[in-house]
Every structure is written in structure tokens, then in C-alpha cells.
Amino acid sequence: MTDAGLFATLPPTVLLLLGALLTALLPRALRAVPVILAPLATLAVVWLLPDGAGPAHAWLDQVLVPVSVDATGRAFATIFALAALAGGLYALPRAGTTELVAAQGYGAGAIGLAFAGDLLTVLVFWEILAVGSTVVIWAAGTDRARRAAMRYLQVHLFGGMVLMVGIAGHLAGGGDNTVAALTDGLNAGIWTAWMILAGVVINAGAPPLWSWVSDAYPTASSTGMVFLSAFTTKAAVLVLIRLFPGAEILIWTGIVMAAYGAVYALVENDLRRVLAFSIVSQVGFMVTAVGIGTPLALAGASAQAFAHILYKSLMTMAAGHMVAATGRRDLADLAGIGRRMPLTWAALLIGGLGLAAVPLTAGFVSKGVILSAAGKDGFGVAWACLVGLAVVSSVYAALKLPIVLWGTTGARRITTTSRGLDGGTLAEPGVMQMVAMAFLAALVIGIGMVPGTLLGLFPASADYAVFTADHLITQVQLLAAAAVVWFLAAPRLAPGHGRLRDLDWIYRSLIPRLASEFAIHGDPLRSGIVRRIRHRIDFVMASVFRIHGPEAPLARDWPTGGTVLGITVMLGLCLVVYYAA
């Protein structure tokens, strides 16, 4: 066998694991070598591997195929390797050895999933992904990060256990170990298929266990969150594409995810939590496309995952430097920092424009494929929901964040005399970090200008026409709608202080406190929490009574003329809606 042939049979994930080992062993001055070269070597092997299944291995009456190559797996492995490279460049000046080693192992798990040819191999790399990401969060070194890492680990071990039970039951029932669609099993109500789906969607950030994203990601270091934004949720999307294309439940699961994440990102005050909620929202677009299940929709989900890693990593890098340089996280405290860091602000702006699918960005290419697939294949309700949520996404990504951080609006502006957390003046990041951000920004814009470089990776979208009049006009209309929404809602969306309660507050705080009060008082009606809840209910009921009570405005007698006028207006609106439809 030639050297090239031998190189082509090497599993790509091995190179990142070897890089992690060298990073742990080499002195700090030399750790840049494996951090940079391991992803580059992995990328080379990804493209040298021939299509098709690699060598098979027998184990416990099952056939294992650790490497099986197709267009989708190659594309996902490519973006995972690029994310490891860019994240490594960004992290080198700041991150500790533990974080860098864990991040490379984390990336290795994602690339292993991209090429896994059997379910047991999927399960192995699934757990590597969970352990690597947990250590990345833990490596931040704060008490808050350690607590969040343990909660994160509990969620993902639970998800891994559910996945393992599903796979074990599938194999015990005579199912095939190969990675193949299980959608028919869902439709037939087979419990193992539902268990496997449940295990996968937990990692995708789907309801009801979706709060781990906003809980854990912002507690990681400014460098660690870059890796976290790239791997876990997108690896879950890849597995959904493999196992559950066309599963209708994923359409509505994805729409709920997109709505939840977009609304929270729109009103959240913490910059890093805004980006965490945004991850859930954008992954929701991908999950919806997987549920649609047509070849074009699946290509759109894959392209959106690729583009999302680029622009979200770029935004996370820029936001991470702003937070690290100032020690502040609330948007109200960061208002105006863009004037002190114009290049960093520009990087965040480019990422936000990509997320908003502005023409000539990667997001315009990938999100357009998803919307086209939904519009052309009879999924009108899903298309309408995604269009509306795309407008909301544009408001916070392309308008609110750049405007507030530049200082046009905000509670308190960082002035030209402001200093960083260490007492030094605020400045742009170092050369290595600027190179990482410039690299990602170039890819976001380059793909937007030459969309074939991304869509050509997927046979179903290779001939998709991006720069059509219909596509451009539709996107311009969506951006115009976002501008109108921002103009009307800007005063209410002005940043403040404090963080929103996520849904995990119910089981992390409310239920334990209720249980504690019950244990102390014995009678829940004597509980202080219950009394406060009843007080809130009484307040709401009193407010309703003031409006709808016997002497309230809506209960009084109205003049006949005003009543007729109101009915006429309502009938007119009904006629307009009827004939417009």
C-alpha cells in the first residue's frame, strides 16, 4: 500500500485524539503545534478517505464499521475540523491545557460521529462528546462553571442512557446495527425507535430538556464557549439526519425550539446567554428541515449546520473577548464597547448578518434552502412559522446586538476612558485571536459570494439557484420587516440588568423550595411560597376585574353608534382577509 493509501485509511478522529495527547504532554511553548496541525491533518484525511464503508470488525455478534464515508459525513467532518482549528487558534493565548485537551477530544467525538457506520460506534462517540464538553465547561475554573458542568453532565448522561437502552433494545429485537433510517419504526410505534429519538434530541437542545444550553454554555470560559457552540447540537442534527429523516414530530419540535430560542434571545440581557438561546433557535431550523425530510430539506439542514458553526463561532469569539476584557456581561454595561473595539464589533456584526441570512453571507445560502424546501413541498404552516421566526432572529442578531454594542442605545455607554477588568485600557484581541476571527469572517462572506462551495457538498442542493429574484426579494422583505419591528419595539427591547428565568427554574428552584416548605410546615397551605403564589393570583384576578367587572369599561353600555361602527370595522376586516386568501 502506498503512503497516500495508508493515510487515506486512517480514521480522522485518531488525529485529533493524538493532538490532544501531545497538547497534554508538550510544554506550553510548543502546544500550538498539535493545536494547529492536528485539525489540519484531520481535514486532509477527511478529503483523502474514499467514499463507502471502511473495514468492518466483528464484536459480540455485531459488525462494527467505525468509518463509513458519504457526502453528508464528509461535509460535517469538514466543518468540525475547521471549527477545531479556528477555536484552537482563538483559545491558544488564553485557555489552559485542560481546556485545550478536552476541546480536541470533544472535536474528535464529533468527527467520529460524522463517519460512524454503526449504532454502537455512534454510542461510543456520543459519550466521548459528552465527557469532552463537560470538561470544557469545568475548565473555566469557577464555582458557577463547576456546578453547571455537573448539571450538564447529568442531562447528557441521562440522554446517553436513553440512547443506549434504545439501541440495545433495537439490537436485541433483531434490528440491524447499521446506521439507517428508523422513521418507519416511529410511525409503527416501536418503543426502541422512540427511545433512540429521545436520546438524540436531548443533545439537540429540544424540549423539555433544553435549558442545559443557556445554563451551561455561558458559564464556560470565553474560549470554551466557542467549542461548545460548534459541536454538540450540530452532531445531534447529523444523527437525526441519519436516523430520522421525515419524522413529522421533528417539524413541530424544531418550530418550538426556534420560537423558544428566538424569543429568549430577543429579550435576554446577558450577551452570552443571548448567543446560547440563539443556538437553540437556529438548531430548531435544522430540526424542522430534518422533519420535512425531502432531499432538498436534508441538504438545507446540513448546509445550515455548516453555516451556523461559522457565524455563531465568530459571534461567540467577538462576544467572548468583549466580556473577558471588561468583566461585564449585561448588554446595558457593554453598550458602546464597539467604539473601543471596532474590529471585534465588526466580527460580531458579520456573524449577526450571517445569522440573519443577509444576502452575500453563508446564512443567506443555507437558510434559503430550508425555506425553499418547506415552501415547495407542501409544508406551508412550517414555512410561515420559520419565516416569522427568521424575522425575530434578524431583529436581535443584525439590529439589537450591533446597535446596542456600538452605543446607539443602551442603559450606560462605555466611554473612551473606560478600562478593562485588569485596569488596562480596552483593546482589540491579540494577533492569534484576530486571525481566527478573520478566518471565520472570510468563510461567512466567501460562501455567501460563492454559494456553490457549500451547496456543492450535498448532491441534492448542488444545482440550487441562490441568487434568484424571488429569493432576493423575499429576503429583503424579511429584513425590512425586521427593521420595522425593531423601530417599533426598540424602547421595550432596550437592555437592562439581570437574567431571565429559564424553564429549568421550575425543577431547579421552585419544586425544591416547595418541597422544603412542605417539609418544614407540613401543610402546603401554610407555606410562604404558596401564600406568595396565591397573592399573585389574587393580583391578576383583581386586574381582570377592573377591566371586566360590572362597572369596568368593557362591561358598560356602549352608544349604539359606536357599537355599529365597531361591528362594521370587524366585518370589513373579515371581508379583506377572506378575499385576500
Side-chain angles (χ1 to χ4, degrees):
M1 181 180 293
T2 63
D3 292 341
L6 179 63
F7 194 58
T9 61
L10 185 66
T13 190
V14 171
L15 293 172
L16 273 183
L17 291 175
L18 179 60
L21 178 62
L22 292 176
T23 302
L25 296 177
L26 291 175
R28 186 180 183 90
L30 296 177
R31 70 182 188 183
V33 175
V35 168
I36 295 173
L37 292 185
L40 289 174
T42 301
L43 190 61
V45 172
V46 164
W47 284 94
L48 283 171
L49 283 171
D51 288 344
H57 308 278
W59 184 74
L60 295 179
D61 297 328
Q62 299 295 333
V63 177
L64 306 183
V65 184
V67 178
S68 182
V69 184
D70 63 1
T72 300
R74 197 188 302 275
F76 271 89
T78 297
I79 189 57
F80 289 151
L82 291 175
L85 174 62
L89 285 171
Y90 182 82
L92 271 172
R94 287 182 178 169
T97 301
T98 300
E99 183 179 300
L100 287 173
V101 171
Q104 287 180 299
Y106 186 20
I111 291 177
L113 282 171
F115 289 133
D118 65 271
L119 294 175
L120 292 177
T121 299
V122 166
L123 185 60
V124 170
F125 285 114
W126 199 261
E127 296 307 317
I128 292 176
L129 202 71
V131 173
S133 53
T134 299
V135 178
V136 168
I137 299 168
W138 185 280
T142 64
D143 289 339
R144 184 181 176 192
R146 293 189 184 99
R147 291 194 299 269
M150 293 308 299
R151 292 191 296 269
Y152 177 94
L153 182 62
Q154 290 168 7
V155 170
H156 286 272
L157 288 181
F158 172 72
M161 180 187 67
V162 172
L163 179 63
M164 181 181 66
V165 170
I167 291 175
H170 173 75
L171 297 178
D176 197 346
N177 188 39
T178 59
V179 175
L182 300 174
T183 309
D184 290 341
L186 290 182
N187 297 333
I190 298 175
W191 71 270
T192 57
W194 283 99
M195 290 287 285
I196 293 172
L197 175 64
V200 176
V201 296
I202 288 174
N203 263 26
L209 296 178
W210 49 13
S211 301
W212 58 264
V213 179
S214 58
D215 175 45
Y217 283 15
T219 65
S221 69
S222 60
T223 54
M225 189 172 173
V226 175
F227 297 106
L228 293 167
S229 69
F231 296 132
T232 298
T233 51
K234 267 62 72 181
V237 169
L238 170 61
V239 177
L240 289 176
I241 291 172
R242 301 283 201 205
L243 299 181
F244 299 102
E248 186 175 356
I249 190 175
L250 293 179
I251 297 177
W252 311 114
T253 299
I255 289 173
V256 171
M257 290 174 62
Y260 154 86
V263 171
Y264 264 91
L266 184 65
V267 297
E268 174 60 56
N269 296 315
D270 185 313
L271 175 57
R272 300 183 73 195
R273 280 170 60 87
V274 169
L275 299 182
F277 284 121
S278 176
I279 291 173
V280 177
S281 179
Q282 296 302 299
V283 172
F285 279 79
M286 306 171 208
V287 172
T288 300
V290 176
I292 292 172
T294 62
L296 184 62
L298 295 177
S302 301
Q304 176 69 357
F306 195 109
H308 179 264
I309 289 175
L310 295 177
Y311 59 68
K312 186 51 61 66
S313 296
L314 179 59
M315 295 180 75
T316 305
M317 288 179 181
H321 177 68
M322 292 176 179
V323 172
T326 61
R328 304 173 185 178
R329 294 176 54 164
D330 286 347
L331 288 171
D333 291 333
L334 292 169
I337 195 172
R339 299 172 187 265
R340 304 298 315 281
M341 304 175 180
L343 295 179
T344 304
W345 177 86
L348 187 138
L349 174 64
I350 292 172
L353 296 178
L355 192 155
V358 171
L360 300 183
T361 66
F364 175 71
V365 176
S366 59
K367 199 168 288 185
V369 177
I370 293 178
L371 294 178
S372 295
K376 291 179 180 178
D377 294 311
F379 296 91
V381 175
W383 177 86
C385 292
L386 293 181
V387 165
L389 294 170
V391 172
V392 178
S393 299
S394 299
V395 172
Y396 70 77
L399 293 170
K400 180 180 178 178
L401 288 183
I403 289 173
V404 169
L405 293 174
W406 187 255
T408 305
T409 183
R412 180 172 63 192
R413 181 180 300 173
I414 293 180
T415 64
T416 55
T417 59
S418 298
R419 293 181 176 272
L421 185 62
D422 59 357
T425 56
L426 299 176
E428 303 283 7
V431 174
M432 194 78 78
Q433 294 181 309
M434 289 300 298
V435 168
M437 290 193 288
F439 173 63
L440 292 177
L443 288 176
V444 170
I445 296 174
I447 290 174
M449 297 179 67
V450 189
T453 55
L454 174 58
L455 298 183
L457 298 175
F458 313 103
S461 63
D463 298 326
Y464 176 79
V466 175
F467 297 113
T468 63
D470 179 65
H471 190 192
L472 289 168
I473 291 172
T474 299
Q475 190 56 37
V476 169
Q477 290 173 334
L478 294 181
L479 295 173
V484 171
V485 171
W486 170 251
F487 176 77
L488 296 175
R492 292 185 176 273
L493 297 177
H497 294 276
R499 293 163 180 79
L500 297 177
R501 284 176 175 169
D502 204 348
L503 295 180
D504 61 343
W505 172 80
I506 296 173
Y507 58 83
R508 284 181 51 197
S509 179
L510 178 60
I511 292 177
R513 289 172 64 186
L514 285 173
S516 176
E517 291 282 346
F518 179 77
I520 294 174
H521 297 290
D523 182 359
L525 296 179
R526 297 171 57 192
S527 166
I529 295 178
V530 172
R531 286 197 300 272
R532 287 193 290 272
I533 293 175
R534 293 180 62 180
H535 176 72
R536 294 289 180 89
I537 294 174
D538 291 341
F539 174 79
V540 172
M541 294 303 296
S543 300
V544 172
F545 189 82
R546 284 196 297 271
I547 299 174
H548 297 277
E551 301 298 326
L554 294 183
R556 296 171 185 165
D557 293 334
W558 287 34
T560 303
T563 303
V564 172
L565 177 61
I567 294 173
T568 303
V569 171
M570 292 176 64
L571 287 174
L573 290 175
C574 290
L575 288 173
V576 169
V577 172
Y578 175 79
Y579 284 109

